[in-house]
Amino acid sequence: QLVESGGGLVQPGGSLRLSCAASGFTLDRYAIGWFRQAPGKEREGVSCISSSDDSTTYADSVKGRFTISRDNAKNTVYLQMNSLKPEDTAVYYCAADPGIATMNPFLYAGWGQGTQVTVSS
């Protein structure tokens, strides 16, 4: 089971840190992706981290602002989001898969329930 947390309401330019905690399995053996879905839009990849060497990938829209990381001791993956913009508003999901890390949501087997991020003044 994956559980996201850390969402909320933040002003433009602010920061949030999302957490993706796993229970029942060890996250460091899985590729983890963060995705988001805004109302009326398709789910899009935000960032992912591999299980083999912790290499990371970011969507162009978040490069330089978001950072994905793992804390294996806590069995948790984080998404640090800085310099948030109104267009970052969405429900954010984490997903896990034993395969390669990818920004394609259709290739992930396990999903969390999502956490709402709203960027507004």
Side-chain angles (χ1 to χ4, degrees), residues 4 8 14 17 21 30 32 43 45 48-49 54 58 72 74 82 89 91 95 109-110 114 120:
E4 302 95 336
R17 188 178 75 162
Y30 289 76
I32 303 298
R43 191 167 297 190
C48 60
I49 186 167
D54 283 351
Y58 296 93
N72 293 332
K74 295 183 178 180
N82 299 327
T89 295
V91 178
S120 175

Side-chain angles (χ1 to χ4, degrees), residues 78-91:
Y78 301 101
L79 185 69
Q80 177 67 43
M81 307 187 297
N82 299 327
S83 302
L84 283 161
K85 304 175 181 181
E87 51 263 44
D88 295 318
T89 295
V91 178

Side-chain angles (χ1 to χ4, degrees), residues 28-31 48-57 70 72 99-101:
D28 64 359
R29 299 181 181 180
Y30 289 76
C48 60
I49 186 167
S50 74
S51 60
S52 57
D53 60 2
D54 283 351
S55 58
T56 58
T57 302
R70 294 181 185 268
N72 293 332
I100 62 171

